[in-house]
Amino acid sequence: MMTSVVAFVGAAFLIAMVPGPSTVVILRRAVVNGRRTGMATVMGNECGVLLWGLAAAFGLSALLLASQVAYDVIRIAGAAVLVWMGARALWQARRAGQPDQGPAGTAAVSLRRAYWQGLATNFANPKAGVFAVSFLPQFVPHGAPVLPTLLAFSVIWAVVDLIWYLPLVWLAGRVGGVLQRQSVRRRMEQVSGAVLVGLGVRLATGP
């Protein structure tokens, strides 16, 4: 059992290190709005990871493998979420520099909103569900109780993901604190917005 846990932790770290929509959203929030907002986004993302893990444990995400319609519905919805967030970031960049936007040129974001953005970005990605249902069962040792083991792995997966994002948010927040120039923040919004829109279009048009 311990060997399976160690192997799973190592694999989960490798997966967390692969950049994706969640990474873009988390770093954007940490740089533009500070570490607390970045951490709120991380917590939302980890709740999404945990939900996908639990869905895989109870067999719900297997529906995404069995039903093309269910997969497509979630895929289009997730793409719409990414495009909307990207478009909003581009709009914020355009508005940067106007008098009512404050010295940093960006509007404040509540912790609750940052949390929901992290959750929506992760949970609206059907590829995460397909990955969860095909990834987690591989590490269940022969003869081990399947459901309790999958539930434990789901929690471990979320914790590993959290551990990976903690230093990223700290570093991004530090950069955000140093780079106070309005032009830098505006460029960050432009880049992250364009990336999110691109990821959304890719998700919508991909298989």
Side-chain angles (χ1 to χ4, degrees):
M1 181 66 180
M2 184 57 63
T3 302
S4 297
V5 172
V6 172
F8 178 78
V9 170
F13 264 114
L14 291 177
I15 293 162
M17 293 169 64
V18 177
S22 294
T23 304
V24 176
V25 172
I26 289 169
L27 291 181
R28 174 187 172 226
R29 282 288 161 236
V31 170
V32 176
N33 300 107
R35 292 174 187 163
R36 290 186 63 196
T37 308
M39 279 307 306
T41 312
V42 170
M43 295 308 296
N45 179 74
E46 302 324 316
C47 284
V49 169
L50 185 59
L51 287 173
W52 276 125
L54 294 177
F58 287 103
L60 299 178
S61 59
L63 292 174
L64 297 177
L65 290 174
S67 173
Q68 184 64 38
V69 174
Y71 180 88
D72 287 340
V73 168
I74 297 181
R75 177 171 60 85
I76 297 301
V81 170
L82 292 178
V83 171
W84 178 81
M85 288 194 294
R88 187 176 179 86
L90 293 172
W91 177 249
Q92 292 287 354
R94 183 179 180 182
R95 294 185 63 192
Q98 294 182 6
D100 61 339
Q101 291 298 298
T106 54
V109 175
S110 69
L111 299 181
R112 178 179 296 181
R113 180 179 162 195
Y115 170 86
W116 282 111
Q117 282 189 344
L119 177 63
T121 303
N122 185 283
F123 202 61
N125 185 0
K127 292 182 179 180
V130 172
F131 175 80
V133 79
S134 60
F135 173 68
L136 295 179
Q138 297 181 34
F139 295 89
V140 178
H142 179 70
V146 176
L147 182 58
T149 303
L150 288 177
L151 292 176
F153 280 161
S154 300
V155 174
I156 293 173
W157 184 14
V159 171
V160 167
D161 210 55
L162 176 63
I163 292 173
W164 167 252
Y165 279 119
L166 281 174
L168 290 185
V169 168
W170 185 86
L171 290 173
R174 187 173 182 84
V175 170
V178 173
L179 303 178
Q180 292 291 335
R181 290 182 300 171
Q182 178 179 309
S183 59
V184 175
R185 298 278 181 117
R186 182 179 182 182
R187 182 64 62 184
M188 178 66 185
E189 293 281 18
Q190 289 174 335
V191 171
S192 61
V195 170
L196 287 172
V197 169
L199 289 171
V201 172
R202 181 180 178 183
L203 181 60
T205 58

